[in-house]
Amino acid sequence: MSSATAAPSAPDEHTAVPGDAGATRLLAGWHATGRRADLTDHLRRHGQPPVATTLGSRTSMQLMQAVESAGLTGRGGAGFPTARKLRAVAQRGGRAVVVINAMESEPASRKDQFLLAVAPHLVLDGAVLAAVAVGADTVHICLPRTRAAQYRQLSTALDERHRACLDPVRLRLHALPHAYVSSESTALVRWLNGGQARPQESPPRTHERGVARRPTLVHNAETLAHLALIARRGSDWFRRTGTPDEPGTTLVTVSGAVATPGVQEVALGTPLATIVDRAGGATEALGAVLLGGFAGTWLAAEDVCTPLTRRDLAPLGAAPGAGVLIALPHSACGLSETARMLAYLAAHSAHQCGPCHFGLPAVAEDFTALAAGHADPDLLSRLDRRTALLPDRGACRHPDGAARLAASALHTFADDLDQHLTRGACAAARRPARIPVPPAKPPETWR
């Protein structure tokens, strides 16, 4: 196996960390060759696309049953059963649409970017297969316009498939405005319909009326790549790794205080500590880990033995989320790191509803004051009240993620919290940030 080396601050988009060979599926080609797979490489490794070899003798319903038996769930963050989404669109009738969500707006995540860079045809196979299964004639591929190199790479992959006459459906590549909320599924649909790349309230839901008012299936890149492998190798093969309740592998972007940050493919159920070890181990004593990214959950260092499954993480108020694990050293200030992330989330909201327009900036402002040791006597009770009001009130889930991050920080860094409230900012708060946070400014345009 080969692996590139990334900068210590964040994983490079072309970095993969070797892991358990038995759990290497999506990234098998990269680990075997160390290079991107063009169409020739892809066909040599995986054979002809499932659309050509399978759907001629297997109905779409049988394919959905295979995905259901495999237990595949969405790898974009919500973890919704993939087969249920397929059926929901297929049962609407009429001509549907498929959207590949490759926006990956979570700042700490590189997994979908990496997968599309090294195995684009696996993702595209899955999208075409899903399109045929739900009765779609078009697949829209949505990328942020800030990633010009990724756009060129995918354009090349689409040209290869076009010359080979592989696909029975149309594949269209789009470059969208890049903001945290522009990766939300309704934001993609809204933009493809000629509007702004901001979330919109439902109903109607995307599977009911989406792009061009047609039933629309939206999946992230990793989910579709898994679907392509299930179609080729079957549900029993997929379930050979992972846990009985949560089978398969998942991609995780590991960064922070680890020796080899990068993207790993791990079996679900792998302890978080093992994931840290496969990233070369911690470079300093750990104080906490952030699981799920900027909209995720802080976990105390003693919780790193927890397996990476929704079932095991639920008692801790956490979930795999967007597939991000950030190791925070004990020498860093978790409250300061959280304040910077909350300021970013507040700036990147859609500003369309009360929780985003008023609640998020207020929470971010209070957290900034707390991190700086400028807390007033009512700050903690105010933060508790405001974070409790944010979830389930917005047009999308953006406020929910920010509230989860803030609440988990108050719990995990309780000892630091007492000092910041009573004696001013700790010494670690004055040190350089350990988690890279993009500039806290909204996009110049939502179109």
Side-chain angles (χ1 to χ4, degrees):
M1 292 185 182
S2 60
S3 172
T5 301
S9 59
D12 182 82
E13 63 176 325
H14 294 157
T15 299
V17 177
D20 178 6
T24 302
R25 296 174 167 189
L26 302 177
L27 303 183
W30 170 260
H31 284 304
T33 66
R35 69 171 187 269
R36 299 181 181 91
D38 62 15
L39 185 58
T40 299
D41 296 327
H42 172 73
L43 294 178
R44 185 183 298 118
R45 174 169 291 277
H46 297 291
Q48 285 293 315
V51 169
T53 60
T54 303
L55 288 185
S57 58
R58 181 185 297 178
T59 65
S60 297
M61 186 60 67
Q62 287 173 313
L63 176 63
M64 292 181 198
Q65 289 172 349
V67 173
E68 183 175 44
S69 297
L72 176 64
T73 55
R75 300 299 198 248
F80 195 80
T82 302
R84 285 173 60 185
K85 289 184 75 171
L86 288 166
R87 284 200 176 96
V89 174
Q91 290 171 356
R92 298 298 299 181
R95 187 59 65 186
V97 175
V98 170
V99 177
I100 302 177
N101 185 351
M103 296 294 291
E104 196 166 31
S105 295
E106 165 56 51
S109 182
R110 300 290 186 276
K111 69 184 184 72
D112 285 339
Q113 297 171 60
F114 181 74
L115 179 61
L116 280 165
V118 303
H121 294 288
L122 200 57
V123 177
L124 296 172
D125 279 355
V128 172
L129 182 63
V132 174
V134 301
D137 60 2
T138 304
V139 173
H140 296 284
I141 307 155
C142 294
L143 300 173
R145 61 178 56 142
T146 52
R147 298 179 190 143
Q150 186 181 28
Y151 189 94
R152 291 192 298 270
Q153 291 168 1
L154 271 182
S155 294
T156 299
L158 293 178
D159 289 343
E160 289 180 304
R161 298 176 75 91
H162 181 72
R163 289 194 299 270
C165 300
L166 278 184
D167 303 316
V169 300
R170 181 175 55 172
L171 303 176
R172 297 187 59 191
L173 185 59
H174 305 275
L176 278 68
H178 194 200
Y180 193 90
V181 295
S182 61
S183 62
E184 205 271 340
S185 61
T186 63
L188 304 184
V189 168
R190 188 177 189 176
W191 189 89
L192 290 168
N193 282 337
Q196 296 182 325
R198 303 188 194 210
Q200 54 188 357
E201 294 190 56
S202 60
R205 300 186 182 277
T206 297
H207 74 269
E208 297 170 330
R209 190 167 73 234
V211 179
R213 303 177 68 84
R214 291 155 58 178
T216 300
L217 176 73
V218 182
H219 271 310
N220 87 308
E222 184 189 343
T223 306
L224 292 167
H226 283 296
L227 188 150
L229 290 180
I230 291 169
R232 283 177 164 95
R233 302 181 183 180
S235 57
D236 290 343
W237 168 86
F238 185 79
R239 299 186 73 93
R240 286 176 193 166
T241 191
T243 72
D245 292 332
E246 299 180 44
T249 65
T250 191
L251 298 179
V252 180
T253 309
V254 187
S255 63
V258 294
T260 313
V263 175
Q264 295 184 33
E265 183 172 12
V266 302
L268 284 165
T270 300
L272 302 181
T274 301
I275 297 174
V276 171
D277 288 342
R278 289 177 184 168
T283 56
E284 303 178 43
L286 295 186
V289 295
L290 178 59
L291 189 64
F294 285 24
T297 306
W298 284 109
L299 298 176
E302 54 264 30
D303 294 324
V304 296
C305 292
T306 307
L308 184 68
T309 67
R310 289 182 173 274
R311 180 176 181 176
D312 290 296
L313 291 165
L316 302 175
V324 169
L325 191 157
I326 304 175
L328 187 74
H330 191 270
S331 60
C333 175
L335 296 175
S336 295
E337 302 290 344
T338 302
R340 284 186 281 268
M341 287 185 278
L342 286 171
Y344 171 85
L345 293 175
H348 275 248
S349 76
H351 298 287
Q352 297 182 128
C353 58
C356 273
H357 195 68
F358 301 108
L360 253 179
V363 168
E365 182 178 340
D366 277 346
F367 233 96
T368 298
L370 173 63
H374 300 154
D376 62 71
D378 298 326
L379 185 141
L380 187 56
S381 61
R382 192 167 63 242
L383 263 178
D384 286 337
R385 183 175 68 254
R386 285 172 170 172
T387 53
L389 287 173
L390 285 178
D392 300 318
R393 293 172 179 266
C396 66
R397 293 295 180 182
H398 184 61
D400 303 45
R404 181 165 48 246
L405 176 72
S408 69
L410 295 176
H411 172 75
T412 301
F413 305 114
D415 292 342
D416 296 330
L417 178 65
D418 180 66
Q419 163 149 348
H420 280 246
L421 286 171
T422 60
R423 300 189 297 278
C426 62
R430 293 185 285 273
R431 296 176 187 142
R434 300 299 297 263
I435 299 176
V437 178
K441 60 180 182 180
E444 294 180 1
T445 175
W446 293 92
R447 277 295 311 158

